[in-house]
Amino acid sequence: MVNTPTAPRRKATAMSQKTWGGRFTGGTDARVEQFTESISIDRRLYRHDVIASQAHARMLAEVGLLTADEAEQIAATLDEIAGEIEAGKMEYSVSLEDIHTHIERALIERLGDLGRKLHTGRSRNDQVVTDVKLWVRDAIDELDGLLADLQWAFVESAERERDVILPGYTHLQRAQPVLAAHYFLTYVEKFQRDRERLADCRKRVNVLPLGAAALAGSSLPIDRESVRKKLGFDAVARNSLDVSSDRDFLLEFVFDLSVIAVHLSGWAEEWVIWSTTEFNFLDLPDGFCTGSSIMPHKKNPDVLELTRGKAGRVIGALQQLLVLVKGLPLAYNRDLQEDKAAVFDAFDTVAGCLAVAAPLVRQTRLRRDVIAARIEDGFLDATTLMESLIVRGVPMRSAHEAVGRLVRRCEERRCRLADLPAEVFEEVAPGVGGQLVGKLGVEKAVHAFQSVGSTAPEQVAGQVEFWKKVLA
């Protein structure tokens, strides 16, 4: 899980010590401290800051800038500080700006000069981006698990409803019949692409920034490769100047979140429509709906509606980040402090949507009787009829026109294609039309499909088994 500590308790009087200050003769204006603080946002990075600092301390011991005993004292004390944060005992102050300074100040209060040695060979610039990358890495792993669970929920629905035939739509008009299992597996495919995008993003996240220092590196004999191994990064960032200004990985991460949100929104929109009296395809679970304060009969799909609405929030976070980094000069600029609010909110929003989506899918049932009662409406077998004519030697465009004329006859007679007499088929498609009588209808149309990836029953059965193996 991506950890978020409890809400901070404010001190009556703020601490005045800074990580900088030798060059300054006066204190910071209280209004500036309030304006520039980020502790209200970045305190959720505390665990990642501790982990990175412990790796850094042990590396300093390996290169002789600390003793092994000093490094372990620092590491143990950092664990104590993390425990206090988890217990809600850390007192936060805007004068200390961010979580990194709070942890370092707590370390110095306990260890004195030894605590002051921890920041050797690093800057807050590379420290911050390292912590954020560690957090994003964990966030990606958490999202992958949530997406996999949602995929399973759709696969379970596909198995449960595999014998149901649904009307497939284009332009929200009935188009062709599809198996319900085929429909559910559509979302499994979408969320698989989301998982693959996140996995690809993780490759670029998993490059170690620490050791780039402020922008030019360090003259101290630090060992970045040692830190890389300790923190489980795949590589070390090659260019120190690039490190502190690079937020590409956040843009990519929030883009991926935006696509997930769009997929969730599209699914939610469809199920909102399908749950209406006009469609009545779905029986949504009561536990995921709400009622009306004035209309006692209402059962509103609020979870789906909020899922649809929250997509705009995530897309807005992406736009916010793009505007934030647009035109920034190298290397670090304080503007970048504003990145975390957008990233954290986008993640929280998507993770929250995914957490309710899987149980909602598992508990929703198709209204089989309602669907079956109208499944033959809308000429869902028209395209299959056209292809039957093609198989019998009728050119595609001629077959298309012929079936269109048959549909017009049905509309005039207020009947279905299967209800037309043989002579009408022969009139429209001489020599072959009569051969089609008795071969129409939605179920026959579904079984007529042959192409790989289609809604043919054998194809869909194979897809279900494929996903069960992939997700196992």
Side-chain angles (χ1 to χ4, degrees):
M1 292 288 291
V2 178
N3 295 301
T4 305
T6 55
R9 293 182 291 124
R10 299 288 183 181
K11 275 190 170 183
T13 57
M15 297 173 65
S16 60
Q17 292 170 296
K18 308 286 187 183
T19 57
W20 46 269
R23 183 246 181 268
F24 292 79
T25 56
T28 305
D29 190 298
R31 290 164 294 191
V32 172
E33 289 184 334
Q34 190 68 47
F35 181 71
T36 59
E37 67 85 21
S38 63
I39 186 60
S40 58
I41 300 295
D42 63 23
R43 59 181 181 265
R44 70 192 294 170
L45 294 174
Y46 79 96
R47 172 58 63 185
H48 305 89
D49 190 76
V50 164
I51 292 170
S53 291
Q54 289 172 328
H56 182 70
R58 289 179 173 124
M59 178 276 292
L60 292 177
E62 290 169 0
V63 299
L65 294 171
L66 288 176
T67 67
D69 181 64
E70 287 175 328
E72 292 312 311
Q73 284 187 62
I74 289 173
T77 306
L78 286 170
D79 279 333
E80 293 174 7
I81 295 169
E84 291 178 6
I85 294 174
E86 289 171 357
K89 296 179 180 179
M90 169 69 78
E91 295 186 353
Y92 296 98
S93 169
V94 296
S95 68
L96 291 180
E97 300 181 27
D98 55 33
I99 189 62
H100 323 288
T101 307
H102 276 79
I103 290 174
E104 183 179 353
R105 182 53 51 192
L107 187 70
I108 291 171
E109 287 175 351
R110 289 163 171 77
L111 298 181
D113 282 346
L114 176 56
R116 293 184 175 91
K117 292 182 178 181
L118 174 61
H119 208 54
T120 301
R122 73 178 184 184
S123 163
R124 265 196 304 181
N125 294 355
D126 60 337
Q127 179 184 4
V128 168
V129 73
T130 299
D131 294 354
V132 173
K133 281 194 168 188
L134 288 170
W135 181 89
V136 171
R137 197 171 68 180
D138 285 351
I140 287 174
D141 294 344
E142 184 174 340
L143 287 168
D144 186 70
L146 289 168
L147 286 165
D149 187 44
L150 181 53
Q151 286 179 296
W152 262 118
F154 278 110
V155 170
E156 291 163 8
S157 297
E159 282 211 292
R160 185 180 61 249
E161 312 283 9
R162 66 192 309 160
D163 59 322
V164 177
I165 300 175
L166 293 171
Y169 294 84
T170 64
H171 308 279
L172 265 183
Q173 303 293 318
R174 290 195 167 204
Q176 290 181 273
V178 296
L179 291 178
H182 194 59
Y183 165 80
F184 287 121
L185 293 181
T186 300
Y187 290 103
V188 180
E189 295 282 353
K190 291 180 185 295
F191 295 123
Q192 182 65 22
R193 293 195 296 272
D194 290 331
R195 293 179 67 191
E196 290 169 1
R197 268 186 290 269
L198 286 170
D200 197 52
C201 174
R202 199 183 191 280
K203 297 175 185 177
R204 282 169 287 285
V205 170
N206 212 30
V207 176
L208 176 69
L210 201 61
L215 77 161
S218 175
S219 62
L220 296 169
I222 59 174
D223 185 350
R224 299 183 66 204
E225 182 64 20
S226 172
V227 177
R228 179 195 72 76
K229 293 177 181 177
K230 289 177 172 61
L231 295 178
F233 283 93
D234 293 332
V236 171
R238 291 185 296 269
N239 187 294
S240 64
L241 187 60
D242 179 51
V243 163
S244 58
S245 63
D246 171 35
R247 294 299 184 273
D248 292 3
F249 69 98
L250 291 183
L251 299 179
E252 185 176 0
F253 176 56
V254 179
F255 170 79
D256 292 348
L257 291 175
S258 298
V259 178
I260 296 170
V262 167
H263 285 159
L264 288 169
S265 179
W267 157 71
E269 165 73 0
E270 190 154 78
W271 279 28
V272 166
I273 293 172
W274 283 19
S275 67
T276 62
T277 301
E278 287 71 20
F279 272 76
N280 202 23
F281 284 1
L282 296 175
D283 183 13
L284 296 175
D286 286 355
F288 290 81
C289 298
T290 65
S292 166
S293 63
I294 188 172
M295 295 173 286
H297 66 288
K298 293 297 293 299
K299 180 179 177 180
N300 299 324
D302 285 26
V303 169
L304 291 168
E305 291 172 345
L306 282 170
T307 298
R308 182 178 60 190
K310 288 177 182 289
R313 189 165 166 176
V314 182
I315 295 167
L318 176 60
Q319 183 177 24
Q320 180 181 342
L321 288 170
L322 287 167
V323 174
L324 176 67
V325 300
K326 178 197 68 66
L328 284 184
L330 294 174
Y332 182 78
N333 296 273
R334 191 65 178 267
D335 312 50
L336 294 174
Q337 177 178 299
E338 292 296 304
D339 60 359
K340 285 169 282 297
V343 172
F344 292 160
D345 187 67
F347 166 78
D348 290 343
T349 301
V350 171
C353 290
L354 290 171
V356 296
L360 172 56
V361 170
R362 286 191 170 96
Q363 296 178 42
T364 296
R365 296 294 181 268
L366 293 177
R367 295 188 182 276
R368 292 173 171 237
D369 55 338
V370 174
I371 295 167
R374 293 191 56 215
I375 193 61
E376 296 292 347
D377 294 349
F379 309 107
L380 295 172
D381 51 354
T383 303
T384 305
L385 172 59
M386 179 195 71
E387 292 179 340
S388 296
L389 290 173
I390 292 171
V391 169
R392 289 165 172 79
V394 180
M396 186 273 175
R397 288 301 175 196
S398 299
H400 187 286
E401 182 179 353
V403 174
R405 290 165 61 191
L406 289 170
V407 168
R408 175 58 63 86
R409 297 288 182 89
C410 288
E411 290 174 335
E412 292 169 351
R413 298 180 180 216
R414 296 182 181 276
C415 69
R416 299 165 178 170
L417 284 168
D419 299 328
L420 289 174
E423 59 266 24
V424 175
F425 284 96
E426 273 299 312
E427 177 187 335
V428 172
V432 294
Q435 303 173 28
L436 304 175
V437 177
K439 297 184 179 180
L440 291 166
V442 166
E443 187 170 352
K444 290 185 175 67
V446 166
H447 282 84
F449 287 100
Q450 300 183 48
S451 59
V452 173
S454 71
T455 195
E458 62 275 13
Q459 286 291 322
V460 174
Q463 292 167 18
V464 170
E465 293 306 311
F466 169 81
W467 283 113
K468 287 167 67 176
K469 290 177 182 178
V470 168
L471 296 171

